[in-house]
Amino acid sequence: MARIVQKFGGTSVANLDRIRNVAKRVKAEVDRGNEVAVVVSAMSGVTNQLVDYVSQASPLHDTREYDAVVSSGEQVTAGLLALCLQELGVSARSWMGWQVPIRTDDAHGKARITGVEADEIAKRFKDGQVAVIAGFQGISPQGRITTLGRGGSDTTAVAIAAALGAERCDIFTDVDGVYTTDPRIVAKARKLDKITYEEMLEMASLGAKVLQTRSVELAMNMGVRVQVLSSFEDTPGTLVVDEDEIVEKQVVSGIAYSRDEAKITLMQVRDKPGVAADIFGPLAEASINVDMIVQNVSPDGGSTDLTFTVTRADLKRAVKLLEDRQAELGYRKLVHDAGVVKVSVIGVGMRSHAGVAQSMFRALAGKGINIQVISTSEIKISVLIDEQYTELALRALHTAYGLDAA
Ligand code: ADP
Ligand code: ASP
Ligand code: MG
């Protein structure tokens, strides 16, 4: 007998037939004698619709009410799945985040889980009851409903698995595993049998939305065994594992992209100590994250152009803040561009191999794609390019690093 957490994403619970199909998968685990907790997302499209209602009702909304509204999609699927399980003769009940409870901080809209009390759920396993938990939601110290950020049901699943000491956390989705890159964009993408936590963490944070970044972080810290697999097919998925479990390390294991970037250039900024601090300080105070940065010294030596990226959602606020301070910061002109994409190559093997960046630059140059900004870390290289070349760049890099499926 094992304790297992199964998580089903939006497309897997998109309608009643699919929820019935999910119920069958849950029943199969129960029939194997396992104790099962299930985490569900809202039916696909529902969360987007709810977010849209909120923006229409109140553009600058109270985030506590945003959470009250957008968390509701998961309540519906949890109840429906519990009913479908009961119809199959399986004992089951639904749990909202506050009922478990899943405790979070009060950063509404992007709350962090601070604790999960799963004792009652574990107790009911003894009577053969399946727990169906609404993903994406928790309760703040003030007793208000919170949500965990988009894609947050993955994090609910990992947190529940950690709290229950589950043997496995299976993330069922609409692809049958983690691929070398988004299989919906690159037809030759290859499914990985295993990926390290570190690589998965980079892939997720650099744009591969197959797992929410925080879920990977939590799994890595708590030692939860995560598997990504299809809810529509019976094929083995991808295991997220420790580095020492991977025998053949690839130099590059995956390529990710993020359209959530916007570029700002400040032209002719005075080139003297303290300028960068004066520019990035106010942005940080306004909770605007700056990602990639490049600074060019101009030939006259007295001024410099400074280019950096922020998320698209923050672009307007960042531009306003910098324009309001133009006199103080002393730059000549600000230009911005939201038509950019960040493409990143990731691999733990990069630590011990030279020339990875060079292959990337050569492959992009070969397609006539101009690189606007570059940033690197130990196991990844990211470049910012014109958004219209996203697919071309992904395919070229996939081939250049020998990742194409046979
Ligand atoms: P769910 O609703 O089940 O949570 P998501 O839409 O959040 O599903 O995540 C699955 C999607 O992630 C896939 O449909 C795929 O397009 C996308 N994706 C992006 N990068 C990758 C990758 N490297 N491997 C697999 N899927 C990826
Ligand atoms: N329903 C939420 C979303 O669409 C959470 C999730 O699906 O993981 O972001
Ligand atoms: Mg998801």
Side-chain angles (χ1 to χ4, degrees), residues 7 151 154 209-210:
K7 179 257 170 178
D154 297 330
K209 66 172 184 158
V210 60

Side-chain angles (χ1 to χ4, degrees), residues 164-344:
L164 288 170
E167 193 161 294
R168 248 176 31 230
C169 181
D170 286 344
I171 307 279
F172 289 90
T173 182
D174 56 1
V175 282
D176 60 357
V178 178
Y179 280 68
T180 44
T181 191
D182 191 340
R184 302 203 188 283
I185 298 224
V186 178
K188 288 181 181 160
R190 207 156 30 82
K191 189 168 91 182
L192 300 165
D193 297 332
K194 290 179 179 174
I195 185 167
T196 67
Y197 287 111
E198 263 184 302
E199 287 168 327
M200 193 61 241
L201 191 60
E202 291 281 5
M203 291 270 278
S205 69
L206 294 167
K209 66 172 184 158
V210 60
L211 287 176
Q212 197 198 32
T213 308
R214 277 187 192 164
S215 72
V216 187
E217 211 170 50
L218 194 61
M220 185 158 89
N221 293 338
M222 307 295 287
V224 174
R225 277 185 87 78
V226 171
Q227 182 181 199
V228 177
L229 66 174
S230 165
S231 64
F232 303 109
E233 290 164 52
D234 280 311
T235 45
T238 302
L239 276 173
V240 188
V241 298
D242 282 323
E243 199 172 328
D244 54 19
E245 282 189 52
I246 297 198
V247 190
E248 249 185 89
K249 291 191 183 63
Q250 301 291 324
V251 178
V252 168
S253 332
I255 305 173
Y257 69 96
S258 166
R259 295 187 205 269
D260 192 27
E261 301 274 327
K263 183 180 72 164
I264 297 178
T265 300
L266 297 179
M267 298 173 77
Q268 294 185 16
V269 180
R270 271 193 303 275
D271 196 11
K272 64 171 176 65
V275 170
D278 290 345
I279 292 167
F280 296 124
L283 290 171
E285 272 162 37
S287 297
I288 296 171
N289 264 333
V290 172
D291 180 16
M292 310 171 90
I293 304 177
V294 64
Q295 181 178 334
N296 308 310
V297 178
S298 59
D300 62 20
S303 68
T304 173
D305 288 351
L306 189 66
T307 297
F308 55 91
T309 62
V310 296
T311 63
R312 284 193 194 172
D314 284 339
L315 179 63
K316 272 197 188 131
R317 280 199 308 135
V319 167
K320 168 128 189 15
L321 196 147
L322 293 166
E323 283 179 346
D324 287 350
R325 287 173 172 72
Q326 180 167 10
E328 198 183 312
L329 297 172
Y331 61 86
R332 192 177 63 78
K333 193 175 161 200
L334 181 155
V335 288
H336 56 87
D337 181 6
V340 289
V341 63
K342 179 171 69 175
V343 175
S344 310

Side-chain angles (χ1 to χ4, degrees), residues 59-138:
L60 290 173
H61 47 257
D62 174 347
T63 52
R64 291 164 299 190
E65 301 308 342
Y66 167 95
D67 279 351
V69 176
V70 303
S71 61
S72 65
E74 273 71 10
Q75 174 158 348
V76 174
T77 31
L80 288 174
L81 179 57
L83 289 171
C84 290
L85 282 165
Q86 289 171 6
E87 286 295 315
L88 295 180
V90 177
S91 163
R93 74 153 272 192
S94 64
W95 297 82
M96 298 308 106
W98 63 269
Q99 291 172 318
V100 175
I102 296 172
R103 299 195 187 280
T104 72
D105 61 19
D106 60 2
H108 285 275
K110 49 176 189 302
R112 266 184 183 276
I113 295 177
T114 53
V116 175
E117 291 156 42
D119 302 350
E120 186 58 30
I121 287 176
K123 212 159 81 194
R124 288 162 185 251
F125 282 156
K126 301 277 167 288
D127 311 321
Q129 192 179 72
V130 170
V132 184
I133 300 155
F136 184 49
Q137 49 170 267

Side-chain angles (χ1 to χ4, degrees), residues 9-19 22 42-46 77 232:
T11 37
S12 310
V13 293
N15 53 47
L16 256 188
D17 274 344
R18 291 197 181 168
I19 295 176
V22 165
M43 292 174 170
S44 71
V46 167
T77 31
F232 303 109

Side-chain angles (χ1 to χ4, degrees), residues 5-76:
V5 173
Q6 298 181 302
K7 179 257 170 178
F8 295 90
T11 37
S12 310
V13 293
N15 53 47
L16 256 188
D17 274 344
R18 291 197 181 168
I19 295 176
R20 287 194 188 101
N21 175 48
V22 165
K24 280 191 205 140
R25 285 195 179 267
V26 176
K27 182 173 187 297
E29 278 307 351
V30 173
D31 290 346
R32 273 177 222 129
N34 294 328
E35 297 177 337
V36 189
V38 191
V39 173
V40 286
S41 290
M43 292 174 170
S44 71
V46 167
T47 310
N48 285 346
Q49 172 75 74
L50 294 169
V51 170
D52 202 43
Y53 283 145
V54 171
S55 320
Q56 285 182 43
S58 168
L60 290 173
H61 47 257
D62 174 347
T63 52
R64 291 164 299 190
E65 301 308 342
Y66 167 95
D67 279 351
V69 176
V70 303
S71 61
S72 65
E74 273 71 10
Q75 174 158 348
V76 174

